[in-house]
Amino acid sequence: MDNRCPLCGKDLGRRKLGYSIVARMDVECPHCSGRLSVNVHRAEQAIVLIGAGCALLLAALSYTQQRQALLLAALGAGIAAAVAMFALERAWLRRWPRYVPRRAPPRME
């Protein structure tokens, strides 16, 4: 993943969480104070949604059927999603820009 600021080129890989507003996915560059947005790839969204959905479904089934094996499967689904995200970032999304300059909302230019 390319964690550089698209405005000034500084590396933001070790930035603090205090610089971001997670609910809006907005980030402010600590070097140039530029407004950035987090650039999430569709594959990342799919892995998170599928992994969390499978884990929650298996956990709910485990609770209703009182089966420990289903609970272990839910844990395995969560771990598999985390491993898939790590592999995706390291292999396929190496050059994907994590941040893009923030665009004005529609009709607010």
Side-chain angles (χ1 to χ4, degrees):
M1 193 90 28
D2 184 11
N3 289 314
R4 290 177 296 168
C5 175
L7 302 174
C8 67
K10 298 284 185 175
D11 186 24
L12 301 178
R14 294 182 177 239
R15 69 172 173 77
K16 294 186 173 145
L17 188 60
Y19 290 115
S20 65
I21 301 170
V22 178
R24 291 188 314 197
M25 301 289 281
D26 288 344
V27 177
E28 195 171 285
C29 178
H31 303 288
C32 68
S33 298
R35 301 183 87 188
L36 307 172
S37 292
V38 178
N39 190 17
V40 180
H41 195 272
R42 287 184 180 177
E44 289 178 296
Q45 291 176 344
I47 288 174
V48 169
L49 289 175
I50 291 170
C54 288
L56 287 174
L57 179 67
L58 288 169
L61 283 173
S62 169
Y63 180 75
T64 58
Q65 295 183 2
Q66 297 296 316
R67 300 255 176 165
Q68 189 175 11
L70 288 174
L71 188 59
L72 290 174
L75 181 63
I79 291 172
V83 168
M85 275 296 283
F86 180 77
L88 178 73
E89 286 181 3
R90 297 290 180 198
W92 194 31
L93 298 178
R94 262 186 268 161
R95 289 182 174 71
W96 179 260
R98 174 48 76 198
Y99 305 105
V100 293
R102 185 169 177 227
R103 294 179 214 105
R107 299 184 199 153
M108 296 293 287
E109 297 173 347

